[in-house]
Amino acid sequence: MLRWDLTASGVRLSNGSTSFSFTAPDWHPTAVSHTLPRHINAVTAGTASRLQLPAPTGRLVTADGTPLSLSSSRSLTADTHYLTVGLQTSRKALLTDGSGAKQVARTSEAGFETTIAFDGPARIRPLGSDLCIDFDQQTAVTVGVPHKHTISENTITVTPTPEGIATALTHLAAGMPTTGPERSHPAWRHHPPLVEIGSQIDVPVAIQSRTPQTGIELKLPPDTEYLYVAAPLAYYLGARVTVENRAAPVLLAPDADVAHAFNSLPAFQHEVASLLRRVFFVDCLLRDDGHRTSSSGDSLLTAWGLSPESLMEASLATRLAATLTIPHDEISPHLPEWYLATYVDADPTHVRSFPFLLDSMSLVYLPEASAFDGKELIRRSLDDFYRAGPQAASVDVLMPRLQAGYLHGWLASGTPIDVFKLTHAAYENRLKYGHKDGDQLTVNVVLNDDEMDAEHEEVAAIYRNRAVDVPIDLTVHKSLKCKDLAAVFESPTDFVHYIGHCDVDGLRCPDGNLSIADIGEIQARTFFLNACGSYHEGVSLVEKGSVVGAVTLTKVLNDQAAIVGTAFARLLINGYDFERAMQLARRRIMMGKDYAVVGDGTYALTPADEGTPAVAWIEKRGDRFDLTYEAHAAWANGATYPNPRDDTDTNLYGSKPTYSLSKAELRVFLDSHDLPVIFDGDFTWTTDLIEKL
C-alpha cells in the first residue's frame, strides 16, 4: 500500500520497498484543496513555501491544459497549475533540508508518476537534477500518485483475425497519457488495456476516448506476422493500424508529409524495430531540457539539423517526420541497447500477450531457430558425475537466431537456449499476484539431497543477509516428503528454491516423486528448481500458477549446480530479474547453457539495493583498467541512471559508458558499489574483486 509520511525535510511516499522524498521544510498537512485526475488514487495535501522534487522529467500545464516549458526558470501567474513529473526512484536523489544539510535518498524502482496541483504566483526552476517551486507565501499544494501497476478495468475484445488484431493494436496506446516527448519516460507509460478473444470486436467507450489521435496510420498486409512485428512501433506512435491487400507496409502521417514505405518481411521486422528505436531516442533527447537526461542532447539534435526548441512542443507526427530526416548511420551509433526482444509466432491468440509485451517496450521478431547439434556444449557422457538417479527428463533444444536486444523471450513453439520460454499464463499469473507493496517476502529453501548441503547453507545465508534491507521470512526445509513438498508449492509464498533431484516422474522426495501435474493450484509466485532436467516441472508450475522460475534442461553436475545456485540466489535477491540473474549466474560454469528460465523472465523478485541493477565489465589494459558500466531493467527504456563517475550527470538505460581508470580510481569505484563484475571474462562481485586486486 502506498503511504505518505512526514519527514524532517518534507514528505516521503513509500510502498515498503520503494520510496521517494520531496523537500518542503515548512510543510503543514491540510485537507485536499485541488481536484486531480481521476486515475490518481494516493493523495496528500498541505501548505508550503517551497518544494524541491527529484524529477528527471516533467510536464507543466495550466488549468485549461495549456503546456508551459520547463526548459528554464519561469514565473507563474496566480492561477491553478498542474505539474506532472516522473519521479525516478531508480537513482540517488540529492535533497536538502531547511538548514541546508544534505542527505542522500536511495531509491530503487521504475518511478512514480506524480501530479502536483498548486496556485500561483510561483517561480519554478531547474536545480541540478531536481525541480524547485518557490511560492511568495505558504501556499496550498495537493500531491497525487496513481498506482504504477494499475490496469484499466476495461478490456478490449477482438476476433482472432487480422482486422481484430489491428483494432487491438490501435487501442493499446490508450495507456499513454501524453503524446509529447515525455512518453519516452516509463513514468508516463501506463499499462495498456488488456485484450481477450471473442466472437466480435468490442472496444469500450472509455478506451476509445483515451486512444490518442496522432494523425499517424500504419497500413499493413492482412497477415498476423506483419501485425505482430509492427505492434511496438504502432503502440509508441499511437498509430491507427489498418489491414488491406498490399505487398508491403506503409507509414502515413499526412499532416507532417510522411509517407514512409517499408520492405516486405523478413526485412520489415528489422526496419520497423530500427525506426522505433530512432523515434524513441529522439524523444529522449527532446525530453532533455538542461537537467533531465544528458547535456549532449541538444548538440546532437542541432548537428542533425533539428530545432530542439520547436520539436519539444511539436506533434508526434512532426517528430516522426524529423526523425526520418536523420541519416541512419549518424544516429545508430548513439542508440542505447534495447532491453527486450520477444520472438512471437503467428498464433492469433498471442494478441492477448501484447499489452504485457508493450508495457515492457519489447521489440517483436519472427521466431527462427535451427536444430541444436550439440557442438557448442561438451557431450553429456559423464553420468557418474551428474546428479545421480533415474533417467532425467531432457529437452530437445533449439538454436535461435537472435536479433537486436539485451534479453530475449520466446512466445512460440520449441525450447531454444539463451532465451526465456514465455507463456501467456505467466502474464495472467502476474496479474493474479499483483504488486507486493512493502509486504514481507516469504522464501522457502528445500533441500532434498543431503549431498548438496553446502549449496543449501550458502543460499540460506544469502537470503538471511539480504533480510537486513528487505523484510524476508525465510523457512528452510530438509528431506520433504511428497505431500509436504506439494504443500510448499500450494501455499502462498514468493519464492521456492528447491535443491535436489528430478527425473521423468517428477521432483524426488524420500517417499517417491512429486509430479507438479498432480498438485492443485500453485501459489508459489516464483521458483528455482535446481535439479536435473527440471524444465517440464517448471513449465507446469507456470501453467498452474507461478509467474516465473529457473530450471535445467538436462542433467547437471553437482558441483556446478551448487555454483550456479548460489550465484543465482545472490543476484535474484539483490533485484536482478530472473533472466538476467540466470544469464549472469551461468557464466560461472562451463555447462551454463543447461540452465534456462520459464515464464516471464523480466520479473524481479525484489528491488535492487542501489536502485540500478547494473553490471561492471572490467578489462586490464597495461597499468590501467577499462570499466564499462551496463545498466538495464525491463521497465527502464527511456529512464536515466546516475553517471557512475559523475553524480551530476545521467545516462539513458541501455547506454554503456566506458572509463579508463587507474588502479586507485578502480578501487574507489569498487569500494562505493556493490554489484556483479565481469573481470577479464570472469564473474565476481565488487567486494571480492577488491580483495583480488
Side-chain angles (χ1 to χ4, degrees):
M1 177 179 294
L2 295 171
R3 188 181 71 186
W4 297 98
D5 292 303
L6 194 63
T7 69
S9 60
V11 177
R12 179 178 64 246
L13 173 65
S14 65
N15 65 10
S17 60
T18 305
S19 66
F20 78 81
S21 300
F22 65 83
T23 300
D26 53 0
W27 179 271
H28 297 290
T30 65
V32 174
S33 56
H34 298 88
T35 300
L36 294 176
R38 65 175 181 83
H39 66 280
I40 301 293
N41 61 9
V43 178
T44 190
T47 62
S49 62
R50 178 175 177 269
L51 301 178
Q52 184 173 336
L53 308 161
T57 186
R59 186 173 181 83
L60 179 66
V61 298
T62 60
D64 63 3
T66 302
L68 301 174
S69 174
L70 288 174
S71 59
S72 60
S73 299
R74 67 180 303 143
S75 296
L76 305 176
T77 60
D79 299 308
T80 300
H81 297 81
Y82 295 91
L83 173 65
T84 303
V85 291
L87 293 174
Q88 186 181 328
T89 63
S90 59
R91 65 186 186 91
K92 301 175 184 178
L94 184 63
L95 309 178
T96 58
D97 62 20
S99 65
K102 295 181 178 179
Q103 62 183 34
V104 173
R106 287 186 179 270
T107 54
S108 55
E109 206 170 288
F112 292 95
E113 178 198 301
T114 303
T115 297
I116 301 166
F118 59 90
D119 295 329
R123 185 167 185 80
I124 188 166
R125 57 192 171 91
L127 180 64
S129 60
D130 296 349
L131 280 175
C132 281
I133 307 173
D134 297 300
F135 302 105
D136 293 344
Q137 57 187 0
Q138 285 288 117
T139 300
V141 176
T142 303
V143 185
V145 178
H147 196 294
K148 178 181 179 292
H149 296 265
T150 298
I151 301 177
S152 170
E153 66 277 10
N154 298 296
T155 299
I156 300 170
T157 302
V158 297
T159 55
T161 63
E163 293 77 12
I165 295 171
T167 300
L169 299 186
T170 294
H171 292 284
L172 289 179
M176 291 196 188
T178 178
T179 58
E182 300 85 5
R183 71 199 280 111
S184 63
H185 191 280
W188 290 82
R189 299 193 298 267
H190 300 169
H191 199 292
L194 300 181
V195 176
E196 63 182 20
I197 300 296
S199 59
Q200 60 184 12
I201 295 174
D202 179 26
V203 182
V205 173
I207 293 177
Q208 293 183 44
S209 65
R210 294 200 302 272
T211 301
Q213 303 299 315
T214 63
I216 301 173
E217 183 178 7
L218 184 57
K219 293 185 176 183
L220 301 170
D223 186 313
T224 303
E225 290 185 339
Y226 278 96
L227 287 157
Y228 282 174
V229 300
L233 178 66
Y235 168 69
Y236 188 74
L237 293 179
R240 179 172 175 261
V241 181
T242 59
V243 293
E244 59 182 36
N245 290 322
R246 56 183 309 112
V250 62
L251 183 64
L252 303 172
D255 291 346
D257 295 324
V258 172
H260 182 71
F262 294 98
N263 288 304
S264 57
L265 283 170
F268 174 59
Q269 62 183 330
H270 306 291
E271 294 170 352
V272 75
S274 171
L275 181 54
L276 170 59
R277 295 180 66 193
R278 287 178 281 146
V279 172
F280 188 89
F281 181 60
V282 168
D283 271 357
C284 289
L285 298 183
L286 289 171
R287 208 181 68 218
D288 172 14
D289 53 20
H291 67 287
R292 293 187 182 119
T293 46
S294 168
S295 58
S296 63
D298 281 0
S299 59
L300 278 176
L301 293 167
T302 302
W304 294 328
L306 304 180
S307 169
E309 294 77 12
S310 61
L311 283 178
M312 282 178 64
E313 304 299 331
S315 68
L316 190 47
T318 299
R319 301 199 308 275
L320 168 64
T323 301
L324 289 169
T325 67
I326 305 172
H328 193 280
D329 59 350
E330 291 185 18
I331 190 173
S332 292
H334 300 281
L335 298 178
E337 183 176 35
W338 206 263
Y339 190 65
L340 179 62
T342 306
Y343 305 82
V344 185
D345 64 25
D347 183 343
T349 65
H350 286 332
V351 70
R352 299 174 301 155
S353 297
F354 271 78
F356 305 93
L357 293 175
L358 299 181
D359 186 50
S360 297
M361 290 297 295
S362 176
L363 300 176
V364 176
Y365 294 99
L366 302 179
E368 297 180 71
S370 57
F372 185 67
D373 62 10
K375 292 180 180 179
E376 185 175 342
L377 303 180
I378 295 176
R379 301 302 295 176
R380 302 170 176 86
S381 59
L382 304 176
D383 286 353
D384 290 341
F385 296 94
Y386 287 102
R387 295 194 166 187
Q391 181 182 3
S394 60
V395 181
D396 292 329
V397 296
L398 301 173
M399 184 71 68
R401 182 177 181 181
L402 301 181
Q403 310 295 347
Y406 181 74
L407 293 189
H408 304 271
W410 193 263
L411 187 58
S413 59
T415 306
I417 61 172
D418 295 327
V419 304
F420 59 89
K421 175 67 173 180
L422 183 59
T423 66
H424 184 67
Y427 289 139
E428 292 181 332
N429 298 336
R430 187 166 185 164
L431 285 180
K432 177 183 69 176
Y433 291 107
H435 180 64
K436 287 182 70 71
D437 283 336
D439 295 337
Q440 188 176 51
L441 283 176
T442 55
V443 175
N444 284 268
V445 177
V446 179
L447 175 65
N448 267 16
D449 177 8
D450 290 339
E451 294 181 3
M452 299 303 298
D453 191 62
E455 177 187 348
H456 148 264
E457 292 293 342
E458 190 166 350
V459 299
I462 289 170
Y463 299 135
R464 290 189 183 101
N465 291 339
R466 182 64 168 138
V468 174
D469 302 307
V470 177
I472 296 176
D473 178 10
L474 174 65
T475 304
V476 178
H477 312 268
K478 291 187 177 182
S479 302
L480 288 184
K481 295 182 178 180
C482 290
K483 67 178 181 62
D484 299 318
L485 181 57
V488 170
F489 287 112
E490 291 174 326
S491 302
T493 185
D494 295 307
F495 181 56
V496 177
H497 188 142
Y498 172 85
I499 303 166
H501 298 285
C502 181
D503 53 52
V504 292
D505 295 321
L507 302 175
R508 198 185 311 168
C509 300
D511 59 341
N513 288 75
L514 174 67
S515 172
I516 301 302
D518 297 332
I519 302 180
E521 180 185 4
I522 300 299
Q523 297 195 68
R525 185 158 59 105
T526 65
F527 59 88
F528 181 20
L529 303 182
N530 200 6
C532 287
S534 60
Y535 173 83
H536 295 294
E537 300 302 320
V539 170
S540 294
L541 283 171
V542 172
E543 291 299 321
K544 302 190 75 170
S546 294
V547 177
V548 63
V551 295
T552 65
L553 299 173
T554 185
K555 292 182 178 181
V556 290
L557 293 164
N558 272 3
D559 290 345
Q560 295 200 354
I563 292 171
V564 172
T566 53
F568 181 78
R570 185 172 180 182
L571 288 158
L572 190 68
I573 207 66
N574 278 282
Y576 293 76
D577 61 47
F578 268 74
E579 178 65 12
R580 196 166 181 222
M582 182 53 70
Q583 187 184 76
L584 291 167
R586 62 191 182 199
R587 292 182 64 92
R588 297 290 305 272
I589 64 171
M590 181 173 56
M591 304 291 286
K593 293 186 185 296
D594 287 342
Y595 281 85
V597 170
V598 294
D600 182 4
T602 69
Y603 194 77
L605 185 62
T606 69
D609 188 42
E610 291 197 4
T612 304
V615 179
W617 296 73
I618 302 174
E619 292 188 16
K620 197 172 189 307
R621 305 286 188 188
D623 60 350
R624 297 187 66 81
F625 299 84
D626 283 350
L627 184 150
T628 300
Y629 193 82
E630 178 184 275
H632 278 296
W635 51 262
N637 275 0
T640 60
Y641 64 91
N643 185 314
R645 295 275 292 157
D646 181 2
D647 280 343
T648 65
D649 195 12
T650 57
N651 299 100
L652 284 168
Y653 276 86
S655 61
K656 297 181 179 181
T658 298
Y659 312 94
S660 176
L661 307 179
S662 66
K663 188 172 184 178
E665 290 171 326
L666 178 61
R667 286 192 62 91
V668 170
F669 172 85
L670 298 175
D671 279 330
S672 59
H673 294 79
D674 181 16
L675 72 159
V677 176
I678 310 299
F679 180 66
D680 284 341
D682 294 330
F683 175 92
T684 185
W685 283 77
T686 49
T687 49
D688 301 325
L689 184 55
I690 290 174
E691 296 178 5
K692 183 176 181 179
L693 291 176

